[in-house]
Every structure is written in C-alpha cells, then in structure tokens.
Amino acid sequence: MDAVARPPLSRWTVPMPPAGWAALGAFLAGALLLVPALHLLTPAGSALHVSDYAVTLGGKVMCYAIVAVALDLVWGYGGILSLGHGLFFALGGYGFGMYLMRAIGREGVYQSDLPDFMVFLDWKALPWYWRGTEHAAWALALAVLVPGLVALVFGFFAFRSRIKGVYFSIITQALTLAAMLLFFRNETGFGGNNGFTDFKRVLGHPIAAPATRVALFMLTAAALAGTLLLCRWLVASRYGRVLTAIRDGESRARFLGYQPHHYKLFAWTLSAVLCGVAGALYVPQVGIINPSEMSPANSIEIAIWVAVGGRGTLVGAVVGAALVNLAKSWFTVAFPEFWNVFLGLLFIGVTLFLPDGLVGLFRRLAARKARA
C-alpha cells in the first residue's frame, strides 16, 4: 500500500485540534491585550483595573507553568520523573539575577560598583564568573546555557548508566540539595542565604514601573505559549513517538535499534533549558532569588503540579501549576500552617482517584457525554 502523501509543511507545523488553537488564541489575547489595557489604561479605583499584585502573581504563575510543561515533557512523555527541576529554574534565575544586581550600580546601600552583599562580605573584586554580566544578553545566555550544561553532563552519565525510575528521582533530589547547600555558602559569591534582591531596573527601565511589569508579563505569556507549541510539536513528531515508546518499553525500543539515552538526554536537556528561561523571567517580576528555590520540596511541588493537571498532556501541566499556585497564594495568607497538609492530601487524592489528573477527568467526562 502506498504511503499517504503528506503536505510539504506538515512536518514543521504544530498539530493541534481547533479547540486547542482557539484556547491558545484566547490566552494570548487576554495576556497580550486585555490585561495590559486594564492595568495601564484604567484608573486604580476602577472595578476593571488589574492591580500590580495581580500582574505580578500572573507572571509568576506563568513562569511556574513553563517549568511544569518542561517537567511534563520528560515525565509525561519520557517516563523520567525528575525531583530536581527546581535547580534548573533557580540557575536560570541566578543567571539573569547577576545582570540585575550589576544594573543596580552605585544605587546600592554601599554605593559601590560591587553588589552590596559583596561589600558586606569584604569582597574586593568581582569573581571571574561575574565577568560580562553587566550585559543582559550574556546574562540571558548564562540563564539558559548553565542549566542546559548541568543537565547535559548529569544526564549523560545517568542515562548512559541506565539509571531510571526511583533511583533517578533520588539522585536528582540529591543534586538539587547539594546545589542548595553550595549556594547557601557566602564563599560561592551568590549572596549566601539572602541571594539576590533589591533590584532597581532592567534594560534601563525602573523594574517596579507599571509599564515594565506589563512588559515582563507579556514576555512571560509569549514564552509560555512558545513553550507549549514547541513541546506540542516535539511530542507529535517522530522523535516524540519514539520517546513515548521508550517510556512504555525501553528494552523493546533498544531491541528495535533505537538508542534510548540519546532521546532521553535531548528531552532532559531541553527541559532544563526551558526551566532556565522560566527562572530568568521569574526573577525580575518577583524581585528575589535565593537558594530556597533549589530546595528539594520545591522540586517535589513541581511534580505535584503536573500530577494534578494530568501528566502527558502539556496543557494539564499549565492547569495544575495555575490551580496549585493560586491555591497556595490563598492558603499562605488565610491558613499558612495548613498549606503543606493540604498539598500532601491533594497529592494523595490525585494519585488515588485521579491518576490522569484533571485533564484526564475532563476527557473522560467529555467522552461519556459524547456516547450518551
């Protein structure tokens, strides 16, 4: 039988149902047009005004959503459960945070060319790894290259040694814990436990100005949409089908002639780079980056976002990240002592009753309605 002829551009386009394109278009219209207009053009007392807090919270949640999609790529489609993605996120944040610290200039407390924490710790000059960080382009490059390089080296040895399953998850936890302890040390030149904060401007613009906040919000929305499209295109491609086959039967895929560690290493490294992008966008919006972002608990929380939304769906990762973080914002104000209890119960409940997450539940209900 002759193969069905494919349109010449089909391999380069993103396969997605019309409803998916409509949802993406609505999201972009809201994030790039509606929210900026309501924030900048409506008076603060208006019921339609979008506050600074809401813009910052929305930007933060979208950064988390990028991380969740990145984890879903390797966990949902590659079967690689990482409990260390918080490390890549934080490395991206530190990479761009170095530029933001340099941009403070002499407006710091000590009015020195060195960042305040270095003056306080009696540093006399910038360490070699801070060179060039006065340029935003180089800092952005660091934000994506460093997480990617760390993931590449770590993944090369881990996948080549055929470490997988719970053992892989444990060593990713160990990796992020080791990095967190390293960054807590003042001698590393990253601000110790206080990290980087008190940023003044980004690319010459006041970082707290409404227009800057909106620009960062829009940039984050565009990055999230781009991440979704990239990952969607990737998982629907031949590469994605092989990655899924490796998830379902690695030995069988190897028997058929594929090299599983090559496929897993690419997805793993790309996932880390996406986390670095999210971290670079997160820091100027939230205004701080410190070693706590690398804590093992944060990485576990990322896995919960994906599980709640539905792994192996991409959009489920976005839904899970948004719902859990919005719930966290409310809980940590209303009942801060119960947040960890709620998060634990949520994970147990999803594992027992919603193994496919909220998106899986929605799809089952839609299928049942269609059959009725």
Side-chain angles (χ1 to χ4, degrees):
M1 183 181 296
D2 294 335
V4 177
R6 301 177 63 189
L9 295 179
S10 62
R11 61 183 301 184
W12 304 113
T13 56
V14 180
M16 195 154 57
W21 285 111
L24 183 63
F27 164 72
L28 288 175
L32 303 182
L33 297 175
L34 184 61
V35 172
L38 293 179
H39 180 63
L40 296 176
L41 303 180
T42 57
S46 170
L48 297 177
H49 179 72
V50 177
S51 66
D52 290 346
Y53 173 77
V55 172
T56 301
L57 178 62
K60 184 173 76 170
V61 169
M62 287 191 290
C63 290
Y64 288 152
I66 295 174
V67 178
V69 173
L71 179 62
D72 195 24
L73 176 66
V74 295
W75 185 25
Y77 294 91
I80 307 166
L81 174 55
S82 166
L83 296 180
H85 261 44
L87 169 62
F88 306 132
F89 177 72
L91 288 177
Y94 270 100
F96 196 65
M98 293 165 79
Y99 160 74
L100 295 174
M101 292 298 289
R102 299 292 301 278
I104 295 174
R106 288 181 172 269
E107 296 181 42
V109 175
Y110 299 104
Q111 299 181 346
S112 168
D113 289 331
L114 295 177
D116 280 346
F117 75 87
M118 288 188 181
V119 178
F120 180 77
L121 296 172
D122 201 26
W123 289 61
K124 301 303 182 186
L126 287 169
W128 62 268
Y129 43 85
W130 277 74
R131 292 175 186 167
T133 52
E134 69 273 23
H135 304 294
W138 176 240
L140 282 172
L142 288 177
V144 296
L145 291 178
V146 173
L149 182 61
V150 171
L152 181 66
V153 173
F154 177 84
F156 175 80
F157 290 105
F159 298 133
R160 193 175 183 183
S161 303
R162 301 187 182 182
I163 298 174
K164 56 186 178 181
V166 66
Y167 302 104
F168 186 87
S169 303
I170 290 173
I171 62 173
T172 54
Q173 279 268 279
L175 177 68
T176 193
L177 177 62
M180 182 184 72
L181 296 177
L182 177 66
F183 274 69
F184 265 125
R185 297 174 61 87
N186 291 328
E187 294 84 355
T188 56
F190 293 106
N193 61 330
N194 292 321
F196 301 160
T197 188
D198 197 27
F199 308 130
K200 304 295 184 188
R201 58 180 55 81
V202 54
L203 299 176
H205 301 281
I207 204 163
T212 307
R213 289 182 187 275
V214 165
L216 290 169
F217 179 90
M218 295 168 67
L219 195 59
T220 308
L224 175 57
T227 300
L228 275 170
L229 289 174
L230 173 63
C231 292
R232 176 66 184 172
W233 172 76
L234 203 59
V235 300
S237 67
R238 179 178 177 275
Y239 166 83
R241 293 194 293 274
V242 174
L243 185 65
T244 305
I246 291 170
R247 177 198 66 186
D248 296 337
E250 183 169 337
S251 298
R252 188 177 303 174
R254 185 178 291 108
F255 179 77
L256 291 174
Y258 294 104
Q259 296 293 331
H261 58 277
H262 291 169
Y263 288 84
K264 293 163 75 172
L265 183 60
F266 176 77
W268 170 255
T269 305
L270 176 62
S271 179
V273 167
L274 293 173
C275 288
V277 172
L281 290 166
Y282 172 87
V283 171
Q285 296 183 84
V286 177
I288 187 171
I289 182 73
N290 59 41
S292 66
E293 295 294 343
M294 301 180 186
S295 74
N298 279 16
S299 293
I300 292 173
E301 199 169 308
I302 296 169
I304 294 176
W305 303 341
V306 179
V308 168
R311 67 188 179 106
T313 61
L314 295 181
V315 68
V318 177
V319 172
L323 290 179
V324 175
N325 280 289
L326 291 176
K328 183 177 183 179
S329 297
W330 181 78
F331 254 96
T332 49
V333 173
F335 307 102
E337 65 275 20
F338 294 117
W339 167 244
N340 287 330
V341 175
F342 172 77
L343 191 64
L345 292 175
L346 179 66
F347 185 61
I348 293 172
V350 167
T351 303
L352 291 177
F353 305 110
L354 293 174
D356 297 323
L358 294 174
V359 170
L361 174 65
F362 175 78
R363 287 176 175 173
R364 285 200 302 273
L365 293 175
R368 185 178 302 174
K369 184 177 180 181
R371 287 195 300 269

